[in-house]
Amino acid sequence: MNTIVWKVDKYVDNLERNPQVVDAARFLRENEVVAIPTETVYGLGGNAESDEAVEKIYMAKGRPGDNPLIIHIAEKEQLNRFVAEIPAKAQILMDKFWPGPLTIIFKLKEGILSEKATAGLATVGVRMPAHPVALALLKTCGLPIAAPSANSSGKPSPTKADHVIDDLNGKIAGVLDGGSTGVGVESTVLDCTEEIPVILRPGGVTKEQLEDVIGKVVIDRALVDESAKPKAPGMKYRHYAPNAEMYLVSGSREFLQQLVVEKRREGLQVGVLTTKEYQYDYKADVVLACGERADLESVAAALYDTLRRFNQLNVDVIFSEMFPGSGVGEAIMNRLQKAAGHKVITEK
Ligand code: AMP
Ligand code: MG
């Protein structure tokens, strides 16, 4: 299959009439799959009401069939078609955070969406992306669009159209290239089917921001306790992993440098993941600055691109600094822990 790359300027008015967007929408209506820029990461979109389209998403990504897809909409009214009820807290959150990086889990109204999209669950995760190209496409095609991240399953999520092409060229109908995404980590997944909402995956909207509008929110125990079964099926899979063996280092920069020296003595190519503040403090084969520590949002935005750059630079081992676990740091640390397979080296 020839994968079309449609360049789209996200700052142009009237994107709904942009020929590239109209083209991509036609592919979606024909049950083909198309990669779409959103404010979090690129998504791989397909008609959520079509088994055929949804199967193509799972196939292209190599995604396990028990991992449900997030459904994307452009208007809140679209929810009534496939959601059984909208709890009061969910309504407040939608009004406050949509469009934006918040996925809300609702009880499913059966018989509308492809059962493959929801992996046969009685619930469904929905969000409205805050990206002009994604919103224009959703409005133009008029369908609920199932869209997981547009990477091969297990790899770091794509934050540029080039990342999508690296993983999925020839496997999907096209990619709308709207430049780099903004937030850089995926949406927060919040289960609103319970009286006290539960964060199943930390992401672009923080726990503090949620609690400011609806009061108490809890975090799925599985996010802190490795032996507990996660409520979001996707959270149990290895994810975001670079090709190299990766370790998180809890300790001083001197300690991290010492680990680098030891590995280099073994003849390995060693990479360090740090931030702009400290990039010249290390001596290693590759030192990459992932944003600025003083601005954790910049770290989130650069994270997946940094992990993918290590792949291109062919390092064998990566030592990564750690980040504070509050605010967007919670999502950053969740992704880094998974990328490293939870391997942490602590200075004694
Ligand atoms: P991705 O689209 O690759 O960013 O992953 C979506 C995440 O949302 C995965 O971890 C899914 O398991 C989770 N998810 C989607 N729908 C549901 C649902 N109905 N209940 C719980 N988790 C869900
Ligand atoms: Mg994903």
Side-chain angles (χ1 to χ4, degrees):
M1 180 187 292
N2 173 38
T3 300
I4 305 168
V5 179
W6 296 281
K7 289 254 180 213
V8 196
D9 181 351
K10 64 180 172 191
Y11 299 108
V12 166
D13 285 343
N14 257 332
L15 271 170
E16 283 153 65
R17 276 193 254 146
N18 171 299
Q20 284 91 338
V21 172
V22 170
D23 226 20
R26 183 171 48 80
F27 275 95
L28 289 176
R29 278 196 300 270
E30 289 169 1
N31 296 334
E32 293 297 337
V33 297
V34 166
I36 309 163
T38 80
E39 82 282 26
T40 57
V41 302
Y42 274 75
L44 181 59
N47 178 0
E49 298 187 8
S50 154
D51 281 346
E52 182 195 351
V54 171
E55 261 167 35
K56 285 179 186 169
I57 295 176
Y58 282 95
M59 277 288 289
K61 282 183 58 82
R63 183 176 175 106
D66 70 346
N67 188 4
L69 308 179
I70 292 171
I71 312 302
H72 293 66
I73 57 173
E75 323 269 0
K76 287 178 200 149
E77 294 68 43
Q78 286 177 275
L79 273 182
N80 301 324
R81 193 169 151 74
F82 58 87
V83 157
E85 61 184 47
I86 301 175
K89 285 180 189 167
Q91 186 65 54
I92 296 169
L93 291 170
M94 283 155 50
D95 292 342
K96 174 83 184 172
F97 294 107
W98 280 8
L102 177 67
T103 295
I104 300 179
I105 308 282
F106 297 95
K107 290 192 180 133
L108 177 69
K109 188 189 280 181
E110 280 180 31
I112 304 291
L113 299 179
S114 159
E115 276 183 30
K116 293 178 199 274
T118 50
L121 299 178
T123 55
V124 58
V126 189
R127 90 173 187 103
M128 187 188 293
H131 191 289
V133 174
L135 284 174
L137 181 66
L138 289 166
K139 281 184 193 155
T140 307
C141 76
L143 296 164
I145 294 296
S149 49
N151 53 312
S152 295
S153 229
K155 294 250 187 101
S157 300
T159 51
K160 295 177 175 172
D162 282 352
H163 298 161
V164 177
I165 290 294
D166 285 345
D167 283 13
L168 303 179
N169 195 21
K171 296 182 175 171
I172 61 176
V175 49
L176 274 167
D177 180 354
S180 292
T181 57
V183 182
V185 289
E186 294 84 345
S187 59
T188 303
V189 177
L190 185 72
D191 185 351
C192 284
T193 63
E194 318 232 3
E195 183 43 38
I196 299 177
V198 187
I199 295 177
L200 306 188
R201 173 177 75 181
V205 175
T206 64
K207 179 169 187 272
E208 295 83 349
Q209 286 174 303
L210 294 170
E211 290 191 323
D212 274 350
V213 283
I214 53 163
K216 190 173 160 86
V217 165
V218 293
I219 296 186
D220 184 11
R221 203 164 58 85
L223 294 178
V224 283
D225 173 0
E226 265 186 74
S227 61
K229 182 169 178 276
K231 290 193 181 151
M235 296 300 283
K236 67 178 180 282
Y237 291 109
R238 185 168 158 83
H239 221 148
Y240 319 115
N243 298 339
E245 192 75 26
M246 181 159 157
Y247 298 89
L248 306 184
V249 180
S250 168
S252 63
R253 289 192 290 287
E254 292 72 22
F255 176 66
L256 195 154
Q257 179 64 50
Q258 194 51 45
L259 295 171
V260 172
V261 170
E262 284 164 23
K263 282 289 177 195
R264 290 184 88 191
R265 263 196 219 120
E266 294 173 25
L268 297 173
Q269 291 280 314
V270 183
V272 173
L273 189 156
T274 177
T275 54
K276 286 196 181 125
E277 290 92 331
Y278 305 123
Q279 62 177 319
Y280 301 112
D281 289 19
Y282 295 104
K283 266 209 181 94
D285 297 293
V286 176
V287 180
L288 294 182
C290 180
E292 282 176 63
R293 182 169 280 275
D295 170 14
L296 283 184
E297 269 148 34
S298 74
V299 175
L303 185 62
Y304 294 135
D305 186 51
T306 306
L307 293 177
R308 282 176 177 263
R309 273 162 63 208
F310 279 118
N311 287 352
Q312 285 162 355
L313 296 164
N314 288 320
V315 294
D316 302 306
V317 184
I318 302 166
F319 292 110
S320 172
E321 292 180 356
M322 295 181 65
F323 295 89
S326 58
V328 72
E330 178 141 23
I332 294 170
M333 281 311 299
N334 169 268
R335 306 311 189 266
L336 277 176
Q337 286 277 9
K338 294 193 126 232
H342 298 276
K343 295 192 294 297
V344 181
I345 304 178
T346 306
E347 186 172 11
K348 295 278 181 298

